[in-house]
Amino acid sequence: MQRLFSLCSLCCLSLLVAPSGESSAQGRSTIYLAGDSTVTDDAGWGKGFQAVLDCTNLAKGGRSSRSYRSEGWWDKCLAAKPNYLLIQFGHNDQPGKGPERESAADGDFRKHLREYVAEAKALGIQPVLVTSLERRRWNDASQIDPSLAEYAVATNAVAQELSVPLIDLHKMSIERYNRLGPTAVRAFEPMSSAGADHTHLNAEGSQVFGRMVAEELLRLFPNLQAFAKPTTDRAEPKKTVAAANQAGLSVAESEDAITVAQGGKVIIVYNKLSPPVPTGIDPVYARSGFIHPLNTPGGRTLTATFPVDHAHQHGLFSAWVKTTYDNREIDFWNLAGKTGRVAHQRVVATFNRETGAGFEVDLVHQTVSEPVVDVLRENWKVVAYPTDGSYFCFDIETKQQALTDKPLIIQEYHYGGMALRGRVEWVRGEKAPPGADENMKLEPSDFLNDLGSAREKGNHEHARWVAMVGELGGQSVSVAVLSHADNFRAPQAARLHPSKPYFCFAPCVDGEFAIDAEHPLSGRYRYLITDAKPAAKWIDEQWRSWCGQPQ
């Protein structure tokens, strides 16, 4: 048996209802949930359950199968005489909880469940046993290391012995955790400056697992379907692709990436997992949650990942450099500092419509040193639009939200934000940078903004758009990034590197600001990719049309 964890001292009970008198008067079936904190409305799955079936929740934190009775909560359940009574215990029955609460899984715990079942049945109540929601403890293979298995086994045994319906939430939760993985599951965990709570659930987690319990109850008792609320949406992200776009746009998702193409030509690839780190590059630079490659209609790749001159820069990416969180200095950009990083968390949706094709994903801005805290969640909505094939066009709509009650302070700094990294061949110099192929031929590149400025003058100018233009094999290619007029501090300052092919829109250039629970940061950026040096007038027309401004 695995070592038992005792981080959760809360236990809870939940009930699904109208009062029993109303039940007979209105013909409704009442449901009560009895259990520990992992069933409560504020820390467990109770609230999500109520999104499907109306209920009364008597869940109480810190209670076990022993203390729930001794403190009188069980008597309140029986007195209500609900039609259905869901019962989940185990967390606070474990060793180390004290004699007033703990019960051995193969001893008094089974005895208590048997008594609960018998007393409910004697009053005409239908008991339903629920096995414990598992904690999120991961082994080295990123699989759940169960801490409540013996209590789940005991609950199963009593259900079989007494012929009582069972909802095996322990098994279902482990399967869901393992399928999603450690990073995605953190989206369901309460987060604070002390780190993630691996036992309880936040509001989103409650919706996922509460609905799971409710839908299993509906499967066991189909007659309850008459009382179920419409549930057209689901808290857990869904991946759906509509019929193929007539303009030839397509979206394909694999285990590693999401690819968006037009007419069979790849436009962008979003990396859900880090690509392999090249030989000679420190593994600390591995990163997920970025776009590379970004291609032209002619099939030329404009971006780089793990570039030898700046291995922490990856294609099209987002990160802050100089920040403070809970008196901690966090750099999410420079990975070698090992204070913070940005990573892909989950796919929310993929889609292909007449108006465009793309995907929606969540990324997490996370501290590296202990305690590990998910400071921000960043949502990207990426949409590629049909074109005549002479250029590619796609948008990124980003929203960064604080995940704790403490703000992230973005300090004044000369770079940080939405960034784009070009090819190593575009590094300025006499020869290829150290670590690059010595036979690599450097090719010219530069920047241009809407003010008519190039690399040197354009650095930190407030630009509506910036274009990176370079040559590959002697032919010009470009990517222009348009910053929307409604963006924070628009027109935003743009950091144009003096020698390397990267730039970013950096509102932090104009001073400190905060992202907190009440003040998320949103932005919209449009990308235009060509196989030629674009005309500034054309880019400006595109920006004005996009922002709804007169030509």
Side-chain angles (χ1 to χ4, degrees), residues 106-259:
D106 59 355
D108 281 354
F109 180 72
R110 299 189 187 208
K111 173 176 172 290
H112 297 155
L113 292 187
R114 292 189 189 101
E115 291 172 348
Y116 284 160
V117 168
E119 292 168 14
K121 285 184 173 180
L123 292 175
I125 301 169
Q126 173 63 68
V128 179
L129 294 181
V130 183
T131 57
S132 298
L133 178 78
E134 184 52 82
R135 298 183 178 95
R136 279 83 59 186
R137 299 294 179 184
W138 304 89
N139 61 24
D140 292 341
S142 295
Q143 296 290 295
I144 288 293
D145 191 1
S147 64
L148 290 152
E150 60 182 334
Y151 287 89
V153 168
T155 305
N156 268 278
V158 172
Q160 292 185 28
E161 174 189 336
L162 302 180
S163 300
V164 177
L166 176 87
I167 295 176
D168 199 347
L169 181 58
H170 183 260
K171 178 182 178 182
M172 291 190 295
S173 61
I174 291 176
E175 290 175 347
R176 188 65 59 92
Y177 298 154
N178 285 338
R179 179 166 62 83
L180 294 174
T183 302
V185 163
R186 289 173 73 91
F188 304 147
E189 297 185 316
M191 189 66 59
S192 72
S193 58
D197 179 337
H198 301 304
T199 297
H200 300 99
L201 299 171
N202 60 18
E204 188 171 351
S206 179
Q207 290 297 310
V208 170
F209 293 98
R211 288 171 185 249
M212 184 185 298
V213 174
E215 288 168 359
E216 186 65 11
L217 186 67
L218 291 172
R219 186 189 66 81
L220 291 170
F221 299 98
N223 58 294
L224 291 175
Q225 291 283 356
F227 310 117
K229 300 174 183 178
T231 54
T232 55
D233 63 325
R234 288 291 184 266
E236 187 177 9
K238 297 294 180 183
K239 305 171 188 178
T240 58
V241 178
N245 186 290
Q246 292 183 1
L249 289 168
S250 64
V251 180
E253 181 181 358
S254 68
E255 182 178 347
D256 301 337
I258 302 174
T259 301

Side-chain angles (χ1 to χ4, degrees), residues 229-437:
K229 300 174 183 178
T231 54
T232 55
D233 63 325
R234 288 291 184 266
E236 187 177 9
K238 297 294 180 183
K239 305 171 188 178
T240 58
V241 178
N245 186 290
Q246 292 183 1
L249 289 168
S250 64
V251 180
E253 181 181 358
S254 68
E255 182 178 347
D256 301 337
I258 302 174
T259 301
V260 181
Q262 179 173 324
K265 298 178 180 179
V266 173
I267 304 173
I268 54 174
V269 176
Y270 172 81
N271 293 272
K272 295 161 56 180
L273 301 177
S274 177
V277 179
T279 302
I281 299 292
D282 192 322
V284 73
Y285 293 114
R287 177 181 165 152
S288 61
F290 66 96
I291 289 174
H292 171 80
L294 187 158
N295 294 330
T296 71
R300 297 173 177 84
T301 296
L302 303 182
T303 50
T305 186
F306 302 110
V308 293
D309 56 285
H310 267 56
H312 55 267
Q313 296 177 352
H314 295 276
L316 195 167
F317 65 102
S318 171
W320 300 110
V321 184
K322 193 173 179 60
T323 77
T324 305
Y325 173 77
D326 192 32
N327 297 316
R328 302 166 66 181
E329 296 292 325
I330 310 296
D331 183 346
F332 298 97
W333 180 295
N334 298 290
L335 300 177
K338 299 181 180 179
T339 60
R341 64 169 48 250
V342 181
H344 168 75
Q345 186 166 59
R346 58 185 179 176
V347 176
V348 178
T350 57
F351 51 86
N352 192 349
R353 309 185 181 109
E354 285 301 309
T355 53
F359 54 89
E360 181 179 350
V361 292
D362 284 339
L363 301 88
V364 62
H365 296 235
Q366 185 181 76
T367 67
V368 173
S369 57
E370 296 291 342
V372 176
V373 180
D374 294 353
V375 179
L376 299 178
R377 178 177 299 155
E378 181 172 11
N379 178 265
W380 277 11
K381 294 179 181 177
V382 181
V383 184
Y385 298 102
T387 68
D388 61 6
S390 63
Y391 69 100
F392 287 149
C393 174
F394 68 92
D395 289 354
I396 295 181
E397 182 177 341
T398 173
K399 183 175 184 179
Q400 298 181 2
Q401 295 181 292
L403 290 175
T404 76
D405 60 356
K406 294 183 181 295
L408 178 69
I409 306 300
I410 315 299
Q411 300 177 44
E412 182 176 345
Y413 202 60
H414 66 282
Y415 69 98
M418 186 64 76
L420 180 69
R421 167 65 204 220
R423 295 178 64 111
V424 175
E425 291 94 327
W426 295 339
V427 173
R428 279 191 169 185
E430 298 279 328
K431 58 182 179 179
D437 183 350

